[in-house]
Amino acid sequence: MNKSEMIEHIAKQADLSKAAAQRALEAMIGGIKTTLKKNGTVSLLGFGSFSVTKRAARTGRNPRTGDAIKIKSSKTPKFRPGKALKDAIK
């Protein structure tokens, strides 16, 4: 399912116009991004949790030349599915 299909699904299920469904989806995504940017956690009961994890700096290899390269530390988003979501796909 892509974003436009998700908007159609939201519009149909919530009896909204596609424009309203798009605004709702954009607002939800924006809220998640803003919270993660502040190193916060977003927990949606029954669905899962979004959080930020820190990856340490490390040494990697250039696959073309085999030379060692330094990879900087970084932050990455992480999603942990909730129990209800796990149970729903069994």
Side-chain angles (χ1 to χ4, degrees), residues 63-76:
R64 186 175 295 165
T65 63
D67 293 343
I69 57 171
K70 292 180 182 177
I71 302 171
K72 295 180 182 179
S73 62
S74 63
K75 294 180 187 177
T76 185

Side-chain angles (χ1 to χ4, degrees), residues 18-73:
K18 285 186 183 180
Q22 182 175 1
R23 286 192 304 271
L25 182 60
E26 294 290 342
M28 186 184 98
I29 292 169
I32 292 170
K33 282 182 184 178
T34 301
T35 302
L36 293 180
K37 207 173 223 184
K38 296 176 184 175
N39 289 327
T41 301
V42 178
S43 297
L44 302 172
L45 190 62
F47 183 69
S49 298
F50 295 91
S51 61
V52 177
T53 59
K54 294 178 184 170
R55 299 181 77 178
R58 61 195 188 279
T59 303
R61 295 255 170 229
N62 180 332
R64 186 175 295 165
T65 63
D67 293 343
I69 57 171
K70 292 180 182 177
I71 302 171
K72 295 180 182 179
S73 62

